[in-house]
Amino acid sequence: MTGTANENLAPFDSLFADFITDHKIPGASVAITRAGKLVYARGFGYAKVAKKVEVQPDAPFRIASVSKPITGAAVAALAEQGKVKFDDPVLKYVKLDPFLPGGAKVDERWAKITVRQCLQHTGGWDRDKQGGFDPIATPCRIAREMKLPTEAPAPNDIVRYMLGRPLDFAPGSKMVYSNLGYLVLGRVIEAVTGQKYEAWVQKNILAPAGARGMSLGRGVPEKRAKGEVCYYDSKKRTGRCLYAPRAGDQVPRPDGADNIEGYEAHGGWIGSAIDLVRFAAAFDYGKKSPVLSTKAITEMWARPDGDAGFDSDKHPRDAYYGCGWSVRPVGKTGKANTWHNGLIPGTSSLLVRRWDGLNWAVLFNTDATAEGQQPSALIDELMHATAGTVKQWPENDLSEKFSPREKK
């Protein structure tokens, strides 16, 4: 266990000491803010198992799909600035040349996909439908068909490839979780800002929120950020390395066989649990956000139209997916709990914003417990329950102890 102990928060220490032992998890990092103050930041277990390197409270982890709230906030910021409109077609901004092999044509329904639909997963892609697939998981296929010089397609390549394929359903007709929609949004951000996605988001979203240690992850261990953890695939899968200097070698999936550098706007960020709760706290109720206006935050968490937001009887769903966040309104308070989790081989992540001013991030450097369950799913209810046992929350702020790590 690393980080500063506080006897009032000992229930969290016990929870995670037992959790990683009972479920045979290599390592975890946990951070909690309350009323904007960082009150808890600890590491558990090992960042590098073989060398017994302990997880530090500010260690960078891959956060997988917890990247989506970051992209959602970026789009909301651009909308607030008048540079993007939520209901504009994405092709108003994205001017990439489609990959059209063998006389293929662009599905005319692409012209109807809006920025909002990409944010809310209603754009028209269904990776589970017969004939459908998630292009994020097929880098070698895309590289081969496009005759790319690398087996790691860039986000632009993936979007160009999918522009040449038919949609799986009419845009806006239903909600199906889609990584591709967020890669499209990354292209929108680059088009309207004239900057690379990573640089613009770091400067305009993450830095104002105090999450200055975040960056896009790299595929192979030798190119990872300073202090970044190692990743342990629960199934010990291997594959062809997509990246130099080991391109073509058989490697563990988290160490170059997955196209991490192509995940970008949908799942490519790395950061510490501390970075993530600072980002979450930027949207705390009752204080001025350094990132978005109250109106923009409300839009980011707005209920979607149709089946995505309402059941078959037209009643509002208890929970829904907003613009980058899962949202559960709390009674008639006008407030909501918002959250996101993430999962890729070697990573399980969870970010929770509570309506009452508590936020937490939990990051694991494996994707499943010894029993085959997702750690982020298992820990979710336990975190809420443990928070309920705390009798006195600390008043001090640990933020000054954790300045952003220097990048390599």
Side-chain angles (χ1 to χ4, degrees):
M1 216 180 298
T2 61
T4 304
N6 184 305
E7 63 179 10
N8 291 324
L9 302 184
F12 289 105
D13 296 342
S14 299
L15 169 63
F16 281 93
D18 292 343
F19 190 85
I20 66 167
T21 300
D22 293 346
H23 297 293
K24 297 181 173 57
I25 291 171
S29 181
V30 190
I32 304 172
T33 59
R34 182 175 182 269
K37 295 180 180 179
L38 181 66
V39 296
Y40 188 86
R42 305 210 74 176
F44 299 86
Y46 295 110
K48 300 179 181 179
V49 172
K51 296 182 179 180
K52 302 298 183 189
V53 176
E54 298 174 331
V55 174
Q56 297 300 317
D58 59 347
F61 283 66
R62 292 173 180 168
I63 66 170
S65 283
V66 176
S67 301
K68 289 181 174 70
I70 296 170
T71 298
V75 173
L78 290 170
E80 185 171 15
Q81 295 169 20
K83 295 180 179 179
V84 168
K85 293 182 179 178
F86 283 103
D87 295 314
D88 274 349
V90 291
L91 293 188
K92 175 180 177 179
Y93 308 103
V94 179
K95 304 298 183 182
L96 297 176
D97 292 329
F99 175 68
L100 299 171
K105 296 181 180 180
V106 176
D107 186 332
E108 62 183 19
R109 294 175 297 178
W110 260 94
K112 299 179 180 180
I113 301 172
T114 67
V115 171
R116 190 187 304 274
Q117 288 167 350
C118 286
L119 286 163
Q120 296 177 343
H121 301 292
T122 60
W125 305 285
D126 186 346
R127 59 189 178 182
D128 297 323
K129 180 182 177 182
Q130 185 175 2
F133 68 101
D134 189 342
I136 308 311
T138 59
C140 294
R141 167 184 172 176
I142 293 173
R144 181 178 63 253
E145 293 185 19
M146 296 184 74
K147 296 181 171 56
L148 299 176
T150 173
E151 289 189 295
N156 276 7
D157 296 323
I158 297 169
V159 174
R160 286 185 57 229
Y161 180 84
M162 294 304 290
L163 276 165
R165 297 189 60 87
L167 300 182
D168 298 307
F169 59 88
S173 63
K174 62 179 179 177
M175 185 269 190
V176 181
Y177 191 87
S178 169
N179 291 317
L180 177 63
Y182 276 75
L183 283 191
V184 173
L185 293 170
R187 316 287 61 74
V188 171
I189 291 168
E190 290 190 343
V192 300
T193 64
Q195 300 177 43
K196 287 293 187 181
Y197 166 85
E198 178 183 27
W200 191 89
V201 173
Q202 284 174 325
K203 181 179 179 180
N204 294 276
I205 303 300
L206 297 172
R212 295 179 179 84
M214 300 191 69
S215 61
L216 291 180
R218 303 299 297 274
V220 292
E222 50 265 46
K223 294 185 179 181
R224 287 182 188 146
K226 181 179 180 181
E228 185 177 352
V229 301
C230 290
Y231 304 99
Y232 301 91
D233 175 22
S234 62
K235 297 179 181 177
K236 299 181 179 179
R237 292 163 288 189
T238 62
R240 285 170 54 87
C241 185
L242 307 177
Y243 303 100
R246 291 187 286 164
D249 293 349
Q250 285 291 311
V251 296
R253 278 191 62 173
D255 293 341
D258 286 328
N259 189 18
I260 296 297
E261 293 175 30
Y263 289 1
E264 193 207 44
H266 83 80
W269 286 97
I270 63 167
S272 68
I274 295 168
D275 287 322
L276 285 176
V277 290
R278 285 171 171 163
F279 168 71
F283 310 110
D284 279 356
Y285 291 108
K287 76 169 191 179
K288 182 177 174 60
S289 170
V291 178
L292 297 174
S293 68
T294 300
K295 180 179 179 182
I297 294 170
T298 300
E299 185 79 10
M300 187 169 64
W301 295 332
R303 181 182 297 275
D305 295 331
D307 291 345
F310 299 84
D311 63 22
S312 57
D313 294 323
K314 309 301 181 184
H315 296 142
R317 295 187 184 277
D318 291 340
Y320 57 86
Y321 199 98
C323 294
W325 303 76
S326 293
V327 181
R328 184 182 298 277
V330 178
K332 298 181 179 179
T333 64
K335 300 179 179 180
N337 292 331
T338 57
W339 73 96
H340 214 294
N341 60 4
L343 182 70
I344 54 176
T347 299
S348 180
S349 54
L350 177 67
L351 177 63
V352 172
R353 282 192 63 270
R354 289 216 323 197
W355 68 280
D356 59 0
L358 278 178
N359 307 305
W360 56 72
V362 185
L363 305 175
F364 299 99
N365 60 348
T366 190
D367 52 283
T369 66
E371 305 82 18
Q373 297 172 288
Q374 292 182 29
S376 63
L378 274 182
I379 204 66
D380 189 21
E381 184 176 344
L382 297 174
M383 284 295 292
H384 286 280
T386 303
T389 69
V390 175
K391 296 179 180 178
Q392 183 175 348
W393 289 91
E395 292 296 329
N396 59 311
D397 190 341
L398 301 174
S399 290
E400 292 185 3
K401 293 179 178 288
F402 300 105
S403 58
R405 288 175 173 267
E406 294 181 7
K407 295 183 175 64
K408 284 186 177 180

